[in-house]
Amino acid sequence: MPDQLFGAMRQSIIDGAPDTATELAQQALANGVDPLEAVNQGFAAGITFAGDQFGCGQMFLPDLLASAEAMKAAMNVLEPEMLKHGSQREALGKVVLGTAKGDIHDIGKNLVATILSASGFQIFDLGTSVTPEQFVAKAKEVDADIVGVSALLTTTMAGQKAVIEALDRDGLRPRIKAIIGGAAVTSKWAAEIGADGYSRNAIDAVELAKNLMGKVTNKGTVPA
Ligand code: B1M
């Protein structure tokens, strides 16, 4: 039964069908399926497939947009449930999060925000296309422990570097840790730009953030 459901979820994203995706997400919750598993095994598999099709010219931008709409519809059902499932309520630290300047991809960043929040971190989500100055200003305003920058495009990865440079210029590191992630990003890139950590997915981001909170002057890249 879950396999069939996951297959239908994947297909609803490929088809760009938000109503179906919403219904399947609701059905998963009603059947006791872990919402994160529904994302990873069902919906995210669909958006990854759509992205690959787009990448090799088999799908066009309007179709990819429709797939993204369907993905968002599913996430709207699942994310509140993930927050409810968060067992830890103690504030583990403050995280300022956003997508790098010029980048409007936010599905993965939102998932990272949800899982971190469900794990006990206080999240200040600046949204998409965030400038280094906005990251720095928010980090100062809320006295952040961690600044996290997501980037999905090879062209916007430079924005991650710019945020780290801006934090350094203001003398905010090493007290504030800078972490990065996103489909285009690798641990090699993280090391190259001197990030305090990189994670491949939302679950690893929690471990990474917890690790960094336990260290006072960590400057090395924590591998995913
Ligand atoms: Co875009 N897009 N897109 N897109 N899109 C990619 C990234 C691409 C790889 C597709 C492809 O060609 N195969 C490609 C980038 C190529 C490159 O640069 N290497 C691409 C392109 C080219 C573009 C446009 C330029 C297309 C165009 O206009 N011609 C354009 C750019 C717009 C812009 O940003 N300025 C564009 C637009 C769009 C849509 C609007 C249609 C839509 C975004 C909708 C939205 O986010 N609101 C979209 C989508 C959906 C994708 C793909 C298909 C899926 C991304 C996604 O949501 N994945 C993507 C292909 C792919 O990644 N395979 C693609 C699901 C999500 C759960 O995973 O985001 O990877 P992900 O997040 C993961 C991890 O990466 C990690 O944890 C998350 C959860 O596990 N993570 C972090 C993410 N951030 C993190 C931060 C952390 C830690 C971990 O710490 C801070």
Side-chain angles (χ1 to χ4, degrees), residues 5 7-8 11 18 33 38 44 57 94 96 111 117 123 129-130 159 161 174 180 183 191 210 222:
L5 187 58
Q11 195 59 45
V33 175
K94 294 179 195 166
V96 170
L111 189 56
S117 176
I123 305 298
S129 194
V130 184
K161 184 167 185 253
I180 61 168
K210 282 183 179 170
V222 179

Side-chain angles (χ1 to χ4, degrees), residues 146-147 149 157-169 172-181 185-198 208 212 217-222:
I146 296 174
V147 167
V149 192
M157 283 163 60
Q160 296 178 317
K161 184 167 185 253
V163 173
I164 290 175
E165 286 169 351
L167 289 170
D168 281 341
R169 255 197 317 276
L172 297 173
R173 289 207 309 161
R175 198 194 68 67
I176 297 180
K177 310 295 179 211
I179 66 169
I180 61 168
V185 178
T186 60
S187 54
K188 186 167 171 277
W189 170 247
E192 212 175 301
I193 64 173
D196 297 294
Y198 152 79
L208 172 62
L212 290 172
T217 56
N218 175 48
K219 261 284 276 174
T221 297
V222 179

Side-chain angles (χ1 to χ4, degrees), residues 1-17 20-21 24-25 27-28 33 37-47 49:
M1 161 70 175
D3 277 354
Q4 240 179 322
L5 187 58
F6 293 148
M9 288 170 172
R10 179 178 179 277
Q11 195 59 45
S12 70
I13 303 302
I14 297 167
D15 293 343
T20 312
L24 290 167
Q27 200 180 320
V33 175
E37 208 174 324
V39 174
N40 287 338
Q41 304 226 35
F43 297 114
I47 198 77
F49 180 82

Side-chain angles (χ1 to χ4, degrees), residues 44 47-48 50-52 54-55 61 64-65 68 71-72 97 102-109 111-112 148-150 152-155 179-184 199-202 205:
I47 198 77
T48 303
D52 289 347
F54 174 74
L61 192 57
L64 185 61
L65 273 166
M71 182 80 192
K72 286 233 156 186
L97 206 58
D103 200 322
I104 61 162
H105 294 87
D106 66 355
I107 295 170
K109 184 266 297 165
L111 189 56
V112 171
V149 192
S150 179
L152 270 282
L153 300 169
T154 34
T155 48
I179 66 169
I180 61 168
S199 85
R200 196 178 11 221
N201 58 45

